[in-house]
Amino acid sequence: MDLIMKDILGTPAILVGLFALLGLLLQKKSSADILSGTLKTIMGFVILGGGANIIIGSLNVFGKMFEKAFSIQGVIPNNEAIVAIAQTTFGTETALIMVFGMLVNILLARLTPFKYIFLTGHHTLFMASLISAVFATGGLKGVPLVIIGSLILGSLMVLSPAILQPFVRKITGSDDIAVGHFGSIGYFTAAVVGSSLGNKAYSTEDIKVPKSLSFLRDTSVAVSLTMTILFVIVAGLAGPAYIQSELSGGTNFLVFSLMQAITFAAGVYIILAGVRLLIAEIVPAFKGIADKFVKNAKPALDVPTVFPFAPNAVIVGFLSSFVAGVLSMFILPVFGLKIIVPGLVPHFFTGATAGVFGNATGGRRGAILGAFANGILISFLPAFLLPVLGSLGFEGTTFGDSDFGIIGILLGYLIKLF
Amino acid sequence: MKKVLVVCGNGLGSSFMMEIMVKNVLAEMGISAEIAHTDLTTGKSEKADIYIGAADIVANLEDGKRTVIGLRNILDKSELKTKLQKYF
């Protein structure tokens, strides 16, 4: 029992591998294809984890430089860290809610007009973890916890793609794919802000990126450059003396910063390679399952899926969201809230996506203002979420993306009513 | 068997969608080929017989020796078919 609950279902890589296996079996693929597909899916998850570790290492250094430069201590939203803490206490509940939540997702897709299958596995795991932690602390345990938790998770897995779909249709020009990501409140807000404040006529994609700058379309190069600029600025403010004595072990602070920036970009490259392996097997696997059980189902995929539709908005959105994060950092203490250090990863992924959504409804201005609104949300929501999580002993870190904030706050106060 | 590599900036979204489209088009033409998708950085070092991608992106792969197909509209099946027919 422990083997199935903890070791097999508690390991997301294996869970996702099983999902791919089932899909490949249903498609009646050859045994060679089934074996290699399942193994590559699991390997994709392992590669993802390896890339994440590299990024976390580089971000830790950035965080220390940041605290020194602005002499503040803040809470760093990090989904992986908080899920790791929650797993030690609520691991089994989380795994069960995740599996049954996926079943509820397929059932709802079959029975309701919301034909979405949520394929962003790590976000499913994070949300299951949030739900089990908040509910268990509120006194809900055992079978009722798993049943209610799975129903909530499964519902979110179809509702979050559903609220985004009108905009995804605008972005992709088709109705074949959906976005499955628990930053959806932020993207929805960005799209609404874009449509009310922006002007669709001036798209970010009409901005002529000079031909000599076309190398920036190469993600690895663009990330390296962006991070180098950020690292060098923050390193300058933190001062060479501090960096060379505390962080770099004597290496020149500029050389150290450059290497940390490129290390970060290398981590992103590795994560993308892992995601590529995952998506390449899971999308066909999804088809295998969906074709059998759900007619006209749409795969809800991770946000980088929409990046290629508006690459300029990706850059604009990231920068705008990050600026909002930095400004919020100074505003939060005014309201007596804990400082949320703007994380580059959440601001990059959700900010870029908010930029794409904002551009789709409101062009350049939409991309800038929409992503800015997202940046405010992912700074303030984690701060408001902290009291709910703080009683759980989760202080010091919190969930990053907007939906975790909204859902966590709602569930936390809801459970107090009973 | 020819190897076709579909490329985009990230190697995740549009290249994967194009790969599915390339597979369909080649199947319609009755041609079997090895098809994969990847990002621009990897595309530069990976060997393939044909590289496909959005016109502005694959221009970065052009080195005079490679066969590069640049698409004006990455979701346009007929443009892809016309351009593929030249090489099969």
Side-chain angles (χ1 to χ4, degrees):
Chain A
M1 199 61 181
D2 221 33
L3 172 78
I4 297 174
M5 291 305 171
K6 280 227 162 71
D7 294 347
I8 296 180
L9 298 182
T11 308
I14 295 179
L15 211 58
V16 178
L18 287 175
F19 192 71
L21 175 69
L22 181 63
L24 292 163
L25 282 172
L26 287 169
Q27 292 175 82
K28 298 194 174 68
K29 292 271 187 180
S30 72
S31 47
D33 281 352
I34 292 174
L35 184 67
S36 72
T38 308
L39 286 178
K40 280 204 291 197
T41 305
I42 297 173
M43 201 199 299
F45 231 97
V46 174
I47 291 173
L48 212 65
N53 281 336
I54 292 178
I55 284 194
I56 289 165
S58 164
L59 279 180
N60 279 339
V61 172
F62 186 80
K64 283 182 187 144
M65 285 185 188
F66 191 88
E67 281 180 13
K68 177 73 184 167
F70 298 98
S71 50
I72 47 157
Q73 281 201 323
V75 177
I76 301 171
N78 186 316
N79 295 333
E80 288 78 11
I82 193 150
V83 167
I85 297 170
Q87 283 290 65
T88 59
T89 328
F90 313 113
T92 313
E93 291 87 339
T94 301
L96 285 172
I97 290 177
M98 179 172 176
V99 175
F100 289 115
M102 287 165 94
L103 291 179
V104 172
N105 177 188
I106 291 177
L107 266 178
L108 287 176
R110 191 191 167 111
L111 300 174
T112 72
F114 302 121
K115 303 289 175 202
Y116 305 102
I117 304 287
F118 194 99
L119 288 177
T120 310
H122 60 291
H123 266 210
T124 311
L125 174 74
F126 296 169
M127 190 56 92
S129 174
L130 174 81
I131 292 171
S132 56
V134 172
F135 272 179
T137 307
L140 197 60
K141 288 195 173 70
V143 179
L145 166 67
V146 173
I147 292 173
I148 296 174
S150 310
L151 288 174
I152 292 175
L153 178 63
S155 311
L156 291 173
M157 290 167 85
V158 295
L159 291 178
S160 114
I163 62 164
L164 297 178
Q165 197 59 13
F167 308 114
V168 174
R169 272 196 292 270
K170 263 189 193 159
I171 293 165
T172 64
S174 82
D175 206 11
D176 301 331
I177 54 160
V179 165
H181 197 268
F182 287 132
S184 60
I185 301 288
Y187 314 141
F188 183 80
T189 307
V192 171
V193 167
S195 67
S196 47
L197 299 177
N199 185 347
K200 225 171 125 180
Y202 303 99
S203 168
T204 51
E205 306 316 299
D206 298 334
I207 302 171
K208 267 260 181 283
V209 181
K211 246 215 149 80
S212 57
L213 282 179
S214 77
F215 69 96
L216 283 177
R217 292 289 294 272
D218 195 327
T219 307
S220 324
V221 178
V223 174
S224 292
L225 276 176
T226 316
M227 289 305 292
T228 302
I229 293 167
L230 287 171
F231 257 102
V232 167
I233 291 173
V234 175
L237 290 171
Y242 167 75
I243 290 166
Q244 279 154 215
S245 66
E246 297 291 324
L247 297 176
S248 74
T251 307
N252 175 277
F253 77 108
L254 286 176
V255 176
F256 180 70
S257 300
L258 178 70
M259 284 316 295
Q260 287 297 323
I262 295 177
T263 302
F264 181 91
V268 172
Y269 182 82
I270 293 169
I271 286 186
L272 292 182
V275 174
R276 196 173 306 134
L277 282 180
L278 277 181
I279 290 187
E281 301 303 332
I282 279 176
V283 173
F286 149 79
K287 271 199 135 100
I289 294 175
D291 288 352
K292 299 275 172 187
F293 298 112
V294 188
K295 254 175 96 182
N296 304 322
K298 293 184 194 34
L301 302 168
D302 202 353
V303 287
T305 313
V306 298
F307 290 178
F309 291 99
N312 293 342
V314 166
I315 309 282
V316 169
F318 162 52
L319 293 175
S320 178
S321 181
F322 191 70
V323 168
V326 173
L327 289 177
S328 303
M329 196 175 66
F330 296 106
I331 300 169
L332 282 163
V334 177
F335 291 102
L337 294 162
K338 265 244 164 80
I339 293 170
I340 301 296
V341 176
L344 279 167
V345 175
H347 279 289
F348 178 74
F349 282 104
T350 72
T353 312
V356 174
F357 275 77
N359 177 57
T361 59
R364 289 170 208 178
R365 216 185 310 147
I368 293 171
L369 297 176
F372 192 85
N374 175 73
I376 301 275
L377 279 180
I378 67 169
S379 307
F380 277 77
L381 286 175
F384 285 118
L385 180 65
L386 273 175
V388 183
L389 296 174
S391 59
L392 303 171
F394 282 168
E395 275 166 299
T397 183
T398 177
F399 285 90
D401 306 60
S402 52
D403 294 10
F404 298 118
I406 296 265
I407 302 301
I409 293 162
L410 286 179
L411 295 183
Y413 287 104
L414 194 71
I415 195 79
K416 275 187 193 155
L417 297 178
F418 293 98
Chain B
M1 194 155 62
K2 278 189 175 163
K3 182 175 174 183
V4 180
L5 194 60
V6 189
V7 181
C8 72
N10 261 324
L12 291 177
S14 61
S15 59
F16 185 49
M17 277 176 269
M18 277 187 273
E19 184 194 333
I20 294 174
M21 199 170 70
V22 171
K23 273 185 178 152
N24 289 338
V25 168
L26 286 179
E28 276 172 27
M29 291 161 67
I31 293 159
S32 59
E34 190 189 335
I35 307 163
H37 70 282
T38 192
D39 67 309
L40 192 52
T41 307
T42 313
K44 277 179 187 158
S45 55
E46 197 163 323
K47 255 186 94 79
D49 298 295
I50 297 172
Y51 298 84
I52 300 177
D56 56 327
I57 277 201
V58 279
N60 285 300
L61 289 174
E62 198 76 72
D63 65 353
K65 286 175 231 149
R66 286 183 169 147
T67 307
V68 174
I69 299 179
L71 298 176
R72 197 170 298 277
N73 175 358
I74 60 170
L75 296 172
D76 183 356
K77 219 170 155 179
S78 59
E79 181 190 352
L80 175 69
K81 197 167 184 173
T82 321
K83 290 188 172 167
L84 270 175
Q85 272 161 345
K86 279 187 219 157
Y87 301 101
F88 283 98

